[in-house]
């Protein structure tokens, strides 16, 4: 997940990044293919003042897809 955030340009100051990683890993452990609304809900407790979330969501999609083998 860390690599995906970096590869998708989803890290700027990095303040939110550890919380994003933990939240996404917990989500994907519970549901390997979450809907976008579930991802947004899972990340809702982690505020990012830098990225606007689009790149973070793209990184989550990439990780979920990679782990699903697609
Ligand atoms: S990267 Fe700066 S708060 Fe998210």
């Amino acid at each position: 997940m860390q690599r995906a955030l970096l590869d998708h340009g989803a890290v700027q100051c990095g303040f939110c990044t550890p919380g994003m990683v933990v939240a996404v890993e917990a989500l994907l452990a519970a549901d390997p293919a979450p809907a976008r609304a579930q991802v947004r809900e899972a990340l809702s407790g982690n505020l990012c003042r830098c990225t606007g979330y689009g790149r973070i969501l793209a990184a989550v999609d990439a990780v979920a897809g990679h782990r699903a083998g697609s």
Side-chain angles (χ1 to χ4, degrees):
M1 187 62 219
Q2 289 174 310
R3 180 82 256 160
L5 289 169
L6 291 170
D7 289 347
H8 286 80
V11 177
Q12 290 185 25
C13 78
F15 189 81
C16 70
T17 304
M20 295 293 182
V21 170
V22 170
V24 171
E25 290 295 349
L27 173 65
L28 294 179
D31 183 354
R36 179 54 59 92
Q38 291 173 292
V39 176
R40 289 183 181 274
E41 176 64 26
L43 298 181
S44 65
N46 298 283
L47 299 179
C48 179
R49 298 293 185 189
C50 302
T51 67
Y53 295 92
R55 292 173 185 233
I56 294 170
L57 294 171
V60 174
D61 288 346
V63 169
H66 178 76
R67 291 181 184 177
S70 60

